[in-house]
Amino acid sequence: MILYILVTALTALVACFVNSAAVEKTNRVMAKSRQEAVNRILLVGIFLTLFALSALRIGIGNDYWIYRYNFLHIISGDTPVAYEVGFKVLVKVLQGLFGYDNFLVVFAFMAFVTCAFFIKGLFDNSDWFAMSFFLFMANGFYFMSFSNVRYYFAIAVCLYALKYLFGKNFGKFILWILFAAFFHKSVLLTIPVFLAAYYLKWNKKTLWFIPLSCAVLTLGKWGVRRLVFVFYPFYEGDLILDVESVSYVNIVKCFAILIFALIYYKKAVRGNPMAETLFNLNLFALIIYSFGYYIPETSRVCYYMVIGHVFLVPIVLRSIENRRQRLLFTGAILMCYGAYFLVFLVRSWDSTVMLLPYLTWLFD
């Protein structure tokens, strides 16, 4: 646990010296190129730290050995494996190049590309990289990528692709999502959901969407579950995956961010396409967490939406003109997420999570 805290503290400290906003706003060529060089060096340092911790692990993550077991079936072809075609091809290529059952190479490669997309996505989409990076780490998104490597690779690609959504380059956004779907098809839901969040504008005519969505999720339980099982038929009846679970922590988190954004809605959100989209995604996640708790693996659906918190919270904070209020909210948010991170680390010892204790093959 101390190692995870040290890595988080070190990388978050380094992130404080990354300044993408300065590069965009300065008109002096020399100052701009100097900041760009500093940013590259610091980002590479952060990337290498996160990549090394992930690539050097062994047996970390609740499905680590399940993945290794399925790698063998992918190579032998003796048993069907419910992985997407892109990941199967990747496993075959890597094990063909580096040797049969060389699962460490597969995990290292996935760590490399996942960390790369995460860092690039955070840098490209945030004007306050340090805060976005801290929220990303404190939420546990990086550490949870030690499990469900296909899913978190899809999230990382989605995070990167957001810049094309916010830049109205919808074609590229969709292409990147389709690419990610070759590794985890759940990411396909982001195409309709994110586009809906982008175009949805709140007024008296659209407010009906909120109670209607709650009613559909409440009364349409059978239909929603049938739709989920079309894409994931093996979820149905599974003792671990097909369970009803209310995530009170995520409900509270989404609700708190909703209230925080509403307080400064006119200044921070309204008229800002990126902020409006992220605000809507947070609201969508809150509704699903609250009324769609019966959906198998609810968090897998909602994480695509709540990862936008890492951009929405800094946007709202930067919009607060009153310095005292801004410092107060910044301090409160840092403390709350710091406490959440500690709770996350404690839960990481659980046998259903298995992110701790950290083990490495380096000294094996």
Side-chain angles (χ1 to χ4, degrees):
M1 187 163 82
I2 294 177
L3 175 63
Y4 288 0
I5 294 175
L6 288 176
V7 167
T8 300
L10 174 63
T11 52
L13 178 62
V14 173
C16 292
F17 298 94
V18 176
N19 193 339
S20 57
V23 172
E24 295 175 359
K25 294 176 181 178
T26 184
N27 293 320
R28 292 185 298 170
V29 176
M30 185 176 296
K32 181 177 181 178
S33 61
R34 186 187 301 116
Q35 185 60 55
E36 286 177 336
V38 170
N39 286 344
R40 289 194 190 99
I41 293 171
L42 298 178
L43 290 173
V44 168
I46 293 173
F47 164 77
L48 290 176
T49 302
L50 299 185
F51 163 64
L53 188 67
S54 182
L56 295 176
R57 78 189 191 280
I58 187 168
I60 304 300
N62 58 8
D63 56 0
Y64 187 96
W65 295 118
I66 296 175
Y67 264 106
R68 185 260 181 144
Y69 180 72
N70 284 331
F71 293 165
L72 299 178
H73 287 309
I74 291 173
I75 298 300
S76 65
D78 59 350
T79 303
V81 177
Y83 291 163
E84 286 75 7
V85 63
F87 190 71
K88 290 181 180 179
V89 171
L90 176 66
V91 170
K92 290 180 178 179
V93 170
L94 290 177
Q95 301 224 42
L97 291 173
F98 296 96
Y100 178 73
D101 198 24
N102 198 335
F103 58 91
L104 294 177
V105 172
V106 180
F107 284 116
F109 181 86
M110 291 302 294
F112 183 93
V113 292
T114 301
C115 290
F117 275 110
F118 270 142
I119 297 301
K120 181 64 173 171
L122 288 169
F123 180 76
D124 287 350
N125 291 294
S126 180
D127 284 341
W128 191 359
F129 179 80
M131 178 59 77
S132 292
F133 181 79
F134 171 77
L135 296 177
F136 167 76
M137 295 295 289
N139 267 291
F141 292 122
Y142 162 69
F143 295 105
M144 288 188 293
S145 70
F146 293 1
S147 296
N148 305 310
V149 294
R150 295 177 299 117
Y151 172 71
Y152 279 96
F153 172 71
I155 286 186
V157 174
C158 180
L159 191 73
Y160 168 77
L162 283 176
K163 68 177 184 179
Y164 297 113
L165 176 68
F166 300 141
K168 292 186 177 182
N169 195 335
F170 303 125
K172 282 191 175 181
F173 169 73
I174 292 173
L175 285 175
W176 276 109
I177 297 302
L178 292 177
F179 165 71
F182 280 102
F183 294 83
H184 207 283
K185 59 188 175 185
S186 65
V187 74
L188 290 173
L189 70 87
T190 64
I191 295 177
V193 171
F194 280 41
L195 289 176
Y198 183 86
Y199 282 108
L200 179 61
K201 308 298 179 184
W202 293 109
N203 52 53
K204 293 181 180 179
K205 295 182 179 180
T206 56
L207 281 175
W208 59 266
F209 166 81
I210 298 175
L212 178 63
S213 300
C214 298
V216 168
L217 285 173
T218 302
L219 302 176
K221 177 179 178 179
W222 183 89
V224 173
R225 283 174 55 82
R226 286 297 97 199
L227 182 61
V228 172
F229 295 144
V230 168
F231 292 95
Y232 290 97
F234 56 89
Y235 277 15
E236 187 171 12
D238 189 281
L239 296 177
I240 298 176
L241 300 175
D242 190 10
V243 295
E244 295 186 0
S245 177
V246 181
S247 180
Y248 295 106
V249 172
N250 282 307
I251 290 175
V252 170
K253 190 195 309 183
C254 290
F255 183 74
I257 290 177
L258 175 67
I259 298 301
F260 178 51
L262 283 173
I263 294 174
Y264 298 99
Y265 187 84
K266 291 183 179 180
K267 181 67 177 178
V269 179
R270 182 178 293 173
N272 182 336
M274 179 176 181
E276 288 180 341
T277 303
L278 298 172
F279 176 88
N280 291 338
L281 289 175
N282 176 70
L283 178 60
F284 294 172
L286 177 59
I287 292 172
I288 295 173
Y289 273 129
S290 301
F291 298 93
Y293 57 87
Y294 53 81
I295 298 174
E297 295 287 282
T298 308
S299 288
R300 286 198 181 186
V301 174
C302 293
Y303 276 3
Y304 288 114
M305 306 171 208
V306 300
I307 199 169
H309 291 172
V310 303
F311 303 126
L312 178 60
V313 172
I315 288 174
V316 178
L317 284 174
R318 287 170 65 90
S319 73
I320 303 175
E321 296 178 346
N322 185 294
R323 184 173 181 273
R324 186 174 181 178
Q325 289 183 17
R326 186 171 63 252
L327 291 175
L328 179 64
F329 274 112
T330 300
I333 288 170
L334 291 175
M335 290 179 61
C336 288
Y337 274 96
Y340 177 86
F341 181 54
L342 292 178
V343 173
F344 166 78
L345 290 179
V346 172
R347 293 183 61 190
S348 296
W349 291 88
D350 192 279
S351 59
T352 61
V353 182
M354 295 181 63
L355 295 180
L356 286 171
Y358 182 80
L359 301 172
T360 177
W361 53 261
L362 193 61
F363 306 110
D364 190 11

